[in-house]
Amino acid sequence: MRAVRPIIALALLLAAQANAAFAQQAADTVAPESRSAVSAKQAVHASRQMVVAANPIAAQAGLDALRAGGSAADAVVAVQTVLGLVEPQSSGLGGGAFLTWYDAKSGTVTTFDGRETAPAAATPALFLGADGKPLGFFDAVVGGRSVGVPGVPRLLETVHAKYGRLGWAELMDPAIKLAEGGFAVSPRLHAMITQDVGRLDTQPATRAYFFDALGAPVTAGAVVRNPDYAASLRTIAEGGADAFYRGPIADKIVAAVQSHPTNPGSLSLDDLANYQVKERPAACAPYRGLSVCGMGPPSSGALTIGQILGMVEPFDIATLGPEDPESWRIVGDATRLAFADRERYIADSDFVNIPKGLLNADYLKARSALIRRPTALPDDAVAAGEPSWDKAELGGAEPRIDGVAFDMPATTHFTIVDADGNVAAMTSSVENAFGSRQMAGGFILNNQLTDFSFAPEKDGAAVANRVEPGKRPRSSMAPTIVLKDGKPFYALGSPGGSSIIPYVATTLIALIDWKLDMQAAISMPHMLNRFGTFELEAGTTAENLAGDLEALGYKIKIGDQNSGLHGVAIMPDGLTGGADPRREGIALGD
Ligand code: GLU
């Protein structure tokens, strides 16, 4: 059921006292009940430490870890292991994640790549059918074929070993207790299960866990236990991540993947045993005197956001403000141009030579000049540019699957700031809601391999993001830490598939140019343009700009938006947290 679009919102827009009115409307936005989100959320203030996560039980586990003297890295372990239980549709031990980390001691930002890898036996034809044509999306997703080697357990262990203070085993306790004692199914989890009837109930393990004996989805508020998950966590608590990648848990994962009756995968014990987390330098882009840092390849997140901001920077959108369609034309067309480069060039940099000049200032200035015009860029003017190269490697652009807009209700982002000033921004994912719809050891197995291009070539040229053995599929995840004078200023991120990029970019613009607080920036109605059509968030004042944007030459689509932005502003006078009203998250702090 859609919330009635408030007449007050229109009045507010007309009254239009620049950004403040818009911010107020943003904070008052009522989310449709179908999102199971609370209607409006208030900014949360704290002085020392904060956790913002997509589920209150998980956020509390993180705050408890901080209160016990733990660092942000300890809280990462507590939050992630609880999320894997209470928000299994989004992330967990069977998935992958990217962490952007600010280390207060050294004053540096770094990133950890816990992305899934393709099995050694995978080929570029993985997602082609017998007829040589790309498989239908869910035909590829459901089963074993889409399952990549999970990265989360090794990522948690790596970060804990480097930056943790509390004992590894004790950090598993909150999740083990909840898994054994039971947790209340959230309204959103119930809604996700209900929407997935026909897929999630096709494997015995998922059917037994997410449905009752008569086949009905577990209801919201029902107390559910997951002893298999508790047992897996106990094994990992004792044996570390090695006990996940080798031994009985690994055996269960491989059995589930390889023995799927209609759509098996090749993931093997060797693939699991060989998995590695990679620490990579943060990809940072300048914006209005700040440094916007995040996850480089295999994620396209930081590079694409950096390109958007670089193209927007020459324009005075602070003065234009968030209510002027001109602001959205500039941001929207910058996003389209950045997406054209993303499609052509960005993939796992361990396999593909990525142009070094994607964030080059002169290159972005030239790209930005393309949008110095009164109306929308015509579709045929939106093409990848020619950034500078170290080594020439011209790939084909990723084939677009036009007309298919997948709802992206899964994946999760959490942001943690500890009392020492360490900051963790982590986006974690099983990809689609409930991943491959396969479960092993009480957790969902990802379908992250469907983030590869299904078609390995376009116009005779190899696609950068084609499947290759051991390769990591290109992501859009964008855990972001913004530095001011070298110190963390904002930390945030979101789920949402490739919409993550405009969700995070526009939130940064709202924070930096329009001076909204973290909550108002997150609640701001979404207006996105990745591929030419302006996507306006239904039930919000974004709809009011439809006519103006149409007059500028854009196609318009009005619909729900599935962001899950969770961020913290780190100011001299304390921390301000914001949680996305479109999901069930919460900011907690001291
Ligand atoms: N698999 C997506 C990615 O890595 C995230 C999916 C989502 O946000 O729902 O970009």
Side-chain angles (χ1 to χ4, degrees), residues 336-393:
R336 291 167 71 200
L337 289 172
F339 264 73
D341 272 8
R342 170 186 178 273
E343 278 180 34
R344 176 143 197 189
Y345 299 123
I346 305 180
D348 183 348
S349 51
D350 293 343
F351 285 74
V352 174
N353 291 314
I354 296 179
K356 297 289 179 280
L358 287 170
L359 292 179
N360 176 280
D362 290 335
Y363 174 66
L364 292 181
K365 216 190 253 170
R367 296 285 278 171
S368 178
L370 299 174
I371 53 180
R372 202 162 275 291
R373 42 177 289 130
T375 54
L377 267 175
D379 279 346
D380 58 9
V382 181
E386 295 289 335
S388 55
W389 302 84
D390 273 7
K391 272 191 217 155
E393 183 184 336

Side-chain angles (χ1 to χ4, degrees), residues 115 408-411 429 431 448 451 474-477 494-498 500:
R115 185 70 162 171
M408 285 301 204
T411 306
S429 178
E431 213 298 298
Q448 213 70 248
D451 271 2
R474 182 187 63 201
S475 172
S476 302
M477 293 195 271
S494 180
S498 69
I500 290 171

Side-chain angles (χ1 to χ4, degrees), residues 107-155:
T108 54
V109 182
T110 186
T111 64
F112 293 89
D113 167 359
R115 185 70 162 171
E116 295 87 339
T117 53
T123 72
L126 180 66
F127 294 119
L128 298 179
D131 57 358
K133 297 218 174 77
L135 294 174
F137 183 67
F138 284 110
D139 294 337
V141 165
V142 178
R145 188 192 298 246
S146 64
V147 181
V149 183
V152 163
R154 189 67 80 194
L155 174 63

Side-chain angles (χ1 to χ4, degrees), residues 30-55:
V30 177
E33 276 173 27
S34 61
R35 293 180 195 140
S36 304
V38 278
S39 57
K41 290 182 182 174
Q42 303 297 321
V44 172
H45 302 283
S47 56
R48 299 174 58 233
Q49 53 196 18
M50 185 167 270
V51 180
V52 194
N55 179 286

